[in-house]
């Protein structure tokens, strides 16, 4: 079970290659990689800066990961979130889950990214040709996270 | 535990940090500032643009000792309070 | 959009590394990797052989993939399924989806593996210490696939 | 298009292939064998263990020209019919 905040580029494929390697109890691995898009709301994105709240971020991610493990029989979990300035095409976040069965891996992966998006203290600043702007929270993210309330 | 707060660190993130013009400050709020809501009002007197942001509902979120907190959260014994807009990570 | 049947081992991480690379319109990539487990129903699995129906397999996978693209705004899809004999810990199947937004990528990935499991002509033969046995279809797989009926 | 079938290839997969003892055979069913269901019954006369498998409901599935098919599927013009147990891939 690993949660990591990284300040430079990371390689999701390389991280996944090492994830759950050599285990014979894993039947399925699900993953989600979030990537900086080159466009948002019709405007070009030149770069994206992720600000976060050091300390609280790690605490919240650890809590979200523990909640996922309490809800699904997970054999392993990996969460990597990049902070700082990054360019279009670069990965922002990787969530991976391993379980004996696919439903647990897939559902937990969706849960982790939904809760991370609404409960971990990160803020996105987009650089566009007309200046920098803070990304606004989306109601659809709240709705996605609310699916998992109980 | 009478609500007295000493040497509290207040932190601001994202556009709230830019509006206030500070990432953090060390403060000693008066004893009558006993909750997150009261702290917001008191900080608003020092930072007019913080008061402006707080006037819009649901825009300024808070964390107390690195846990999300609502306005009625007591501040007794608290060392760090943070204010920030809704999160947008992932 | 790629659908591949492979007869030897494949490397999901390497496949994912190349998937959707260099695109700036992709906001999220979801993936599922199915792996041969070393145990099933309390018995050790020594090896697993995947039989399939050449021709029909490719046709069904192409159809399932087209259905996913009709339902979600996908920018890219990758499906790789191994056939033949393989060992515990080795990947059987990889499904990956790329979209501008995460919900489409995650849902389409779940859909693809659910329909693949119930609509593509593959059959698993497990080798155990007490002999070889054909894996029985699971009602839970039918239920998972039925979620996507409409 | 009178239901006549010539040079039909019949294929068997997984444990059905093992039970029948054949992966495939080229057959010329009589003209009265006009549907998948009729073909099943006719093949059952040649392969007792195929008939046994067909007796259990929902166990033997069929594909006609590489598309899943039910018992009422007509065989006119069909070149390939396959029988197999429920799929278990992925």
């Amino acid at each position: 079970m690993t949660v990591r905040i990284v300040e430079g580029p990371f390689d999701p494929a390389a991280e996944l290659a090492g994830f759950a390697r050599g285990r014979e109890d894993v039947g399925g691995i699900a993953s989600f990689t979030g990537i900086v898009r080159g466009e948002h709301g019709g405007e070009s994105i030149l770069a994206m800066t992720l600000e976060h709240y050091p300390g609280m971020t790690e605490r919240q991610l650890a809590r979200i990961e523990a909640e996922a493990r309490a809800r699904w029989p997970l054999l392993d979990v990996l969460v990597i979130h990049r902070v700082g300035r990054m360019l279009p095409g670069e990965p922002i976040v990787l969530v991976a889950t391993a379980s004996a069965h696919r439903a647990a891996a897939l559902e937990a992966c969706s849960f982790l990214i939904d809760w991370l998006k609404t409960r971990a203290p990160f803020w996105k600043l987009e650089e566009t040709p007309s200046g920098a702007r803070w990304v606004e929270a989306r109601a659809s993210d709240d709705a996605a996270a609310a699916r998992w309330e109980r | 535990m009478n609500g007295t707060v000493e040497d509290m660190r207040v932190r601001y993130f994202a556009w709230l940090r830019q509006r206030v013009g500070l990432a953090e400050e060390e403060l000693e709020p008066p004893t009558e500032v006993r909750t997150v809501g009261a702290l917001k009002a008191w900080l608003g007197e020092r930072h007019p643009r913080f008061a402006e942001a707080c006037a819009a509902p649901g825009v300024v979120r808070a964390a107390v000792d690195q846990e999300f907190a609502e306005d009625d959260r007591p501040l007794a014994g608290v060392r760090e309070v943070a204010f920030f807009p809704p999160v947008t990570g992932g």
Side-chain angles (χ1 to χ4, degrees), chain A residues 27-52:
Chain A
I29 292 176
S31 79
F32 177 79
T33 304
I35 297 165
V36 180
R37 287 201 295 146
E39 179 275 334
H40 185 196
E43 230 181 333
S44 292
I45 304 302
L46 308 174
M48 173 92 86
T49 299
L50 261 287
E51 181 171 330
H52 78 126

PDB file of all heavy atoms in Angstrom, chain A residues 27-52:
ATOM      1  N   GLY A  27      -5.734 -11.374  -9.109  1.00  0.00           N
ATOM      2  CA  GLY A  27      -6.437 -11.785 -10.328  1.00  0.00           C
ATOM      3  C   GLY A  27      -6.689 -10.622 -11.264  1.00  0.00           C
ATOM      4  O   GLY A  27      -6.879 -10.807 -12.459  1.00  0.00           O
ATOM      5  N   GLY A  28      -6.693  -9.410 -10.702  1.00  0.00           N
ATOM      6  CA  GLY A  28      -6.966  -8.248 -11.543  1.00  0.00           C
ATOM      7  C   GLY A  28      -6.338  -6.984 -10.999  1.00  0.00           C
ATOM      8  O   GLY A  28      -6.290  -6.771  -9.791  1.00  0.00           O
ATOM      9  N   ILE A  29      -5.836  -6.170 -11.914  1.00  0.00           N
ATOM     10  CA  ILE A  29      -5.291  -4.863 -11.555  1.00  0.00           C
ATOM     11  C   ILE A  29      -6.046  -3.813 -12.366  1.00  0.00           C
ATOM     12  O   ILE A  29      -6.122  -3.903 -13.590  1.00  0.00           O
ATOM     13  CB  ILE A  29      -3.782  -4.789 -11.872  1.00  0.00           C
ATOM     14  CG1 ILE A  29      -3.017  -5.730 -10.934  1.00  0.00           C
ATOM     15  CG2 ILE A  29      -3.265  -3.353 -11.748  1.00  0.00           C
ATOM     16  CD1 ILE A  29      -1.540  -5.808 -11.226  1.00  0.00           C
ATOM     17  N   ALA A  30      -6.603  -2.832 -11.673  1.00  0.00           N
ATOM     18  CA  ALA A  30      -7.256  -1.716 -12.352  1.00  0.00           C
ATOM     19  C   ALA A  30      -6.408  -0.475 -12.133  1.00  0.00           C
ATOM     20  O   ALA A  30      -5.755  -0.340 -11.102  1.00  0.00           O
ATOM     21  CB  ALA A  30      -8.658  -1.494 -11.807  1.00  0.00           C
ATOM     22  N   SER A  31      -6.401   0.419 -13.115  1.00  0.00           N
ATOM     23  CA  SER A  31      -5.651   1.654 -12.927  1.00  0.00           C
ATOM     24  C   SER A  31      -6.353   2.818 -13.588  1.00  0.00           C
ATOM     25  O   SER A  31      -7.117   2.639 -14.545  1.00  0.00           O
ATOM     26  CB  SER A  31      -4.233   1.520 -13.492  1.00  0.00           C
ATOM     27  OG  SER A  31      -4.234   1.675 -14.903  1.00  0.00           O
ATOM     28  N   PHE A  32      -6.099   3.987 -13.048  1.00  0.00           N
ATOM     29  CA  PHE A  32      -6.532   5.219 -13.702  1.00  0.00           C
ATOM     30  C   PHE A  32      -5.369   6.200 -13.690  1.00  0.00           C
ATOM     31  O   PHE A  32      -4.732   6.397 -12.647  1.00  0.00           O
ATOM     32  CB  PHE A  32      -7.736   5.862 -13.003  1.00  0.00           C
ATOM     33  CG  PHE A  32      -8.115   7.166 -13.651  1.00  0.00           C
ATOM     34  CD1 PHE A  32      -8.838   7.181 -14.827  1.00  0.00           C
ATOM     35  CD2 PHE A  32      -7.687   8.372 -13.123  1.00  0.00           C
ATOM     36  CE1 PHE A  32      -9.145   8.374 -15.466  1.00  0.00           C
ATOM     37  CE2 PHE A  32      -7.989   9.570 -13.749  1.00  0.00           C
ATOM     38  CZ  PHE A  32      -8.723   9.574 -14.924  1.00  0.00           C
ATOM     39  N   THR A  33      -5.095   6.781 -14.855  1.00  0.00           N
ATOM     40  CA  THR A  33      -4.056   7.806 -14.965  1.00  0.00           C
ATOM     41  C   THR A  33      -4.712   9.098 -15.435  1.00  0.00           C
ATOM     42  O   THR A  33      -5.389   9.111 -16.472  1.00  0.00           O
ATOM     43  CB  THR A  33      -2.993   7.384 -16.001  1.00  0.00           C
ATOM     44  OG1 THR A  33      -2.473   6.105 -15.630  1.00  0.00           O
ATOM     45  CG2 THR A  33      -1.853   8.392 -16.042  1.00  0.00           C
ATOM     46  N   GLY A  34      -4.545  10.153 -14.682  1.00  0.00           N
ATOM     47  CA  GLY A  34      -5.034  11.473 -15.083  1.00  0.00           C
ATOM     48  C   GLY A  34      -3.905  12.241 -15.742  1.00  0.00           C
ATOM     49  O   GLY A  34      -2.768  12.210 -15.266  1.00  0.00           O
ATOM     50  N   ILE A  35      -4.215  12.883 -16.858  1.00  0.00           N
ATOM     51  CA  ILE A  35      -3.194  13.514 -17.689  1.00  0.00           C
ATOM     52  C   ILE A  35      -3.578  14.974 -17.951  1.00  0.00           C
ATOM     53  O   ILE A  35      -4.757  15.289 -18.130  1.00  0.00           O
ATOM     54  CB  ILE A  35      -3.088  12.733 -19.019  1.00  0.00           C
ATOM     55  CG1 ILE A  35      -2.622  11.296 -18.730  1.00  0.00           C
ATOM     56  CG2 ILE A  35      -2.143  13.417 -20.001  1.00  0.00           C
ATOM     57  CD1 ILE A  35      -2.818  10.341 -19.882  1.00  0.00           C
ATOM     58  N   VAL A  36      -2.592  15.862 -17.997  1.00  0.00           N
ATOM     59  CA  VAL A  36      -2.857  17.270 -18.309  1.00  0.00           C
ATOM     60  C   VAL A  36      -3.311  17.378 -19.758  1.00  0.00           C
ATOM     61  O   VAL A  36      -2.606  16.935 -20.671  1.00  0.00           O
ATOM     62  CB  VAL A  36      -1.591  18.144 -18.119  1.00  0.00           C
ATOM     63  CG1 VAL A  36      -1.908  19.614 -18.461  1.00  0.00           C
ATOM     64  CG2 VAL A  36      -1.049  18.026 -16.701  1.00  0.00           C
ATOM     65  N   ARG A  37      -4.488  17.966 -19.974  1.00  0.00           N
ATOM     66  CA  ARG A  37      -4.972  18.159 -21.333  1.00  0.00           C
ATOM     67  C   ARG A  37      -4.462  19.471 -21.906  1.00  0.00           C
ATOM     68  O   ARG A  37      -4.182  20.418 -21.182  1.00  0.00           O
ATOM     69  CB  ARG A  37      -6.499  18.163 -21.351  1.00  0.00           C
ATOM     70  CG  ARG A  37      -7.069  16.774 -21.143  1.00  0.00           C
ATOM     71  CD  ARG A  37      -8.497  16.689 -21.651  1.00  0.00           C
ATOM     72  NE  ARG A  37      -9.377  17.537 -20.876  1.00  0.00           N
ATOM     73  CZ  ARG A  37     -10.432  18.169 -21.387  1.00  0.00           C
ATOM     74  NH1 ARG A  37     -10.707  18.073 -22.676  1.00  0.00           N
ATOM     75  NH2 ARG A  37     -11.197  18.899 -20.617  1.00  0.00           N
ATOM     76  N   GLY A  38      -4.363  19.518 -23.232  1.00  0.00           N
ATOM     77  CA  GLY A  38      -3.869  20.716 -23.906  1.00  0.00           C
ATOM     78  C   GLY A  38      -4.952  21.744 -24.155  1.00  0.00           C
ATOM     79  O   GLY A  38      -4.686  22.801 -24.754  1.00  0.00           O
ATOM     80  N   GLU A  39      -6.152  21.450 -23.679  1.00  0.00           N
ATOM     81  CA  GLU A  39      -7.290  22.334 -23.950  1.00  0.00           C
ATOM     82  C   GLU A  39      -8.283  22.199 -22.802  1.00  0.00           C
ATOM     83  O   GLU A  39      -8.441  21.125 -22.241  1.00  0.00           O
ATOM     84  CB  GLU A  39      -7.932  21.908 -25.285  1.00  0.00           C
ATOM     85  CG  GLU A  39      -9.146  22.696 -25.705  1.00  0.00           C
ATOM     86  CD  GLU A  39     -10.435  22.160 -25.084  1.00  0.00           C
ATOM     87  OE1 GLU A  39     -10.483  20.961 -24.765  1.00  0.00           O
ATOM     88  OE2 GLU A  39     -11.369  22.954 -24.890  1.00  0.00           O
ATOM     89  N   HIS A  40      -8.932  23.296 -22.439  1.00  0.00           N
ATOM     90  CA  HIS A  40      -9.968  23.228 -21.409  1.00  0.00           C
ATOM     91  C   HIS A  40     -10.946  24.375 -21.640  1.00  0.00           C
ATOM     92  O   HIS A  40     -10.531  25.529 -21.702  1.00  0.00           O
ATOM     93  CB  HIS A  40      -9.352  23.324 -20.010  1.00  0.00           C
ATOM     94  CG  HIS A  40     -10.347  23.151 -18.898  1.00  0.00           C
ATOM     95  ND1 HIS A  40     -10.106  23.503 -17.601  1.00  0.00           N
ATOM     96  CD2 HIS A  40     -11.600  22.642 -18.905  1.00  0.00           C
ATOM     97  CE1 HIS A  40     -11.166  23.252 -16.847  1.00  0.00           C
ATOM     98  NE2 HIS A  40     -12.081  22.719 -17.621  1.00  0.00           N
ATOM     99  N   GLY A  41     -12.201  24.031 -21.779  1.00  0.00           N
ATOM    100  CA  GLY A  41     -13.220  25.046 -21.995  1.00  0.00           C
ATOM    101  C   GLY A  41     -12.964  25.884 -23.237  1.00  0.00           C
ATOM    102  O   GLY A  41     -13.244  27.080 -23.269  1.00  0.00           O
ATOM    103  N   GLY A  42     -12.386  25.253 -24.255  1.00  0.00           N
ATOM    104  CA  GLY A  42     -12.162  25.955 -25.511  1.00  0.00           C
ATOM    105  C   GLY A  42     -10.877  26.776 -25.564  1.00  0.00           C
ATOM    106  O   GLY A  42     -10.557  27.370 -26.591  1.00  0.00           O
ATOM    107  N   GLU A  43     -10.128  26.795 -24.447  1.00  0.00           N
ATOM    108  CA  GLU A  43      -8.881  27.550 -24.460  1.00  0.00           C
ATOM    109  C   GLU A  43      -7.678  26.620 -24.360  1.00  0.00           C
ATOM    110  O   GLU A  43      -7.738  25.574 -23.708  1.00  0.00           O
ATOM    111  CB  GLU A  43      -8.863  28.539 -23.282  1.00  0.00           C
ATOM    112  CG  GLU A  43      -8.486  29.944 -23.746  1.00  0.00           C
ATOM    113  CD  GLU A  43      -8.430  30.926 -22.583  1.00  0.00           C
ATOM    114  OE1 GLU A  43      -9.123  30.710 -21.582  1.00  0.00           O
ATOM    115  OE2 GLU A  43      -7.692  31.896 -22.689  1.00  0.00           O
ATOM    116  N   SER A  44      -6.576  27.010 -24.999  1.00  0.00           N
ATOM    117  CA  SER A  44      -5.357  26.214 -24.913  1.00  0.00           C
ATOM    118  C   SER A  44      -4.783  26.263 -23.501  1.00  0.00           C
ATOM    119  O   SER A  44      -4.824  27.301 -22.849  1.00  0.00           O
ATOM    120  CB  SER A  44      -4.285  26.771 -25.865  1.00  0.00           C
ATOM    121  OG  SER A  44      -4.661  26.574 -27.186  1.00  0.00           O
ATOM    122  N   ILE A  45      -4.264  25.125 -23.077  1.00  0.00           N
ATOM    123  CA  ILE A  45      -3.560  25.070 -21.796  1.00  0.00           C
ATOM    124  C   ILE A  45      -2.066  24.963 -22.107  1.00  0.00           C
ATOM    125  O   ILE A  45      -1.631  24.025 -22.782  1.00  0.00           O
ATOM    126  CB  ILE A  45      -4.015  23.856 -20.972  1.00  0.00           C
ATOM    127  CG1 ILE A  45      -5.532  23.871 -20.756  1.00  0.00           C
ATOM    128  CG2 ILE A  45      -3.275  23.810 -19.639  1.00  0.00           C
ATOM    129  CD1 ILE A  45      -6.057  25.093 -20.060  1.00  0.00           C
ATOM    130  N   LEU A  46      -1.305  25.931 -21.625  1.00  0.00           N
ATOM    131  CA  LEU A  46       0.132  25.917 -21.862  1.00  0.00           C
ATOM    132  C   LEU A  46       0.847  25.113 -20.781  1.00  0.00           C
ATOM    133  O   LEU A  46       1.845  24.451 -21.033  1.00  0.00           O
ATOM    134  CB  LEU A  46       0.672  27.350 -21.887  1.00  0.00           C
ATOM    135  CG  LEU A  46      -0.083  28.286 -22.851  1.00  0.00           C
ATOM    136  CD1 LEU A  46       0.419  29.719 -22.707  1.00  0.00           C
ATOM    137  CD2 LEU A  46       0.094  27.797 -24.284  1.00  0.00           C
ATOM    138  N   ALA A  47       0.326  25.205 -19.573  1.00  0.00           N
ATOM    139  CA  ALA A  47       0.902  24.465 -18.445  1.00  0.00           C
ATOM    140  C   ALA A  47      -0.119  24.427 -17.323  1.00  0.00           C
ATOM    141  O   ALA A  47      -1.122  25.149 -17.341  1.00  0.00           O
ATOM    142  CB  ALA A  47       2.189  25.136 -17.958  1.00  0.00           C
ATOM    143  N   MET A  48       0.126  23.539 -16.369  1.00  0.00           N
ATOM    144  CA  MET A  48      -0.768  23.390 -15.223  1.00  0.00           C
ATOM    145  C   MET A  48       0.108  23.296 -13.975  1.00  0.00           C
ATOM    146  O   MET A  48       1.097  22.568 -13.961  1.00  0.00           O
ATOM    147  CB  MET A  48      -1.546  22.083 -15.399  1.00  0.00           C
ATOM    148  CG  MET A  48      -2.380  21.707 -14.229  1.00  0.00           C
ATOM    149  SD  MET A  48      -4.026  22.351 -14.421  1.00  0.00           S
ATOM    150  CE  MET A  48      -4.774  21.023 -15.376  1.00  0.00           C
ATOM    151  N   THR A  49      -0.270  24.079 -12.943  1.00  0.00           N
ATOM    152  CA  THR A  49       0.469  23.982 -11.681  1.00  0.00           C
ATOM    153  C   THR A  49      -0.461  23.440 -10.602  1.00  0.00           C
ATOM    154  O   THR A  49      -1.566  23.947 -10.413  1.00  0.00           O
ATOM    155  CB  THR A  49       1.027  25.354 -11.259  1.00  0.00           C
ATOM    156  OG1 THR A  49       1.929  25.806 -12.276  1.00  0.00           O
ATOM    157  CG2 THR A  49       1.772  25.253  -9.936  1.00  0.00           C
ATOM    158  N   LEU A  50      -0.011  22.386  -9.942  1.00  0.00           N
ATOM    159  CA  LEU A  50      -0.785  21.786  -8.854  1.00  0.00           C
ATOM    160  C   LEU A  50      -0.218  22.267  -7.527  1.00  0.00           C
ATOM    161  O   LEU A  50       0.930  21.967  -7.195  1.00  0.00           O
ATOM    162  CB  LEU A  50      -0.699  20.253  -8.923  1.00  0.00           C
ATOM    163  CG  LEU A  50      -1.846  19.489  -9.568  1.00  0.00           C
ATOM    164  CD1 LEU A  50      -3.086  19.466  -8.688  1.00  0.00           C
ATOM    165  CD2 LEU A  50      -2.164  20.034 -10.936  1.00  0.00           C
ATOM    166  N   GLU A  51      -1.039  23.016  -6.797  1.00  0.00           N
ATOM    167  CA  GLU A  51      -0.667  23.414  -5.431  1.00  0.00           C
ATOM    168  C   GLU A  51      -1.304  22.411  -4.478  1.00  0.00           C
ATOM    169  O   GLU A  51      -2.343  21.839  -4.789  1.00  0.00           O
ATOM    170  CB  GLU A  51      -1.217  24.829  -5.167  1.00  0.00           C
ATOM    171  CG  GLU A  51      -0.891  25.375  -3.786  1.00  0.00           C
ATOM    172  CD  GLU A  51      -1.266  26.859  -3.636  1.00  0.00           C
ATOM    173  OE1 GLU A  51      -1.227  27.602  -4.647  1.00  0.00           O
ATOM    174  OE2 GLU A  51      -1.598  27.263  -2.506  1.00  0.00           O
ATOM    175  N   HIS A  52      -0.679  22.182  -3.344  1.00  0.00           N
ATOM    176  CA  HIS A  52      -1.333  21.309  -2.365  1.00  0.00           C
ATOM    177  C   HIS A  52      -1.010  21.777  -0.954  1.00  0.00           C
ATOM    178  O   HIS A  52      -0.334  22.796  -0.776  1.00  0.00           O
ATOM    179  CB  HIS A  52      -0.939  19.837  -2.587  1.00  0.00           C
ATOM    180  CG  HIS A  52       0.413  19.466  -2.064  1.00  0.00           C
ATOM    181  ND1 HIS A  52       0.610  18.420  -1.201  1.00  0.00           N
ATOM    182  CD2 HIS A  52       1.633  20.000  -2.290  1.00  0.00           C
ATOM    183  CE1 HIS A  52       1.914  18.315  -0.932  1.00  0.00           C
ATOM    184  NE2 HIS A  52       2.547  19.259  -1.569  1.00  0.00           N
TER     185      HIS A  52
END
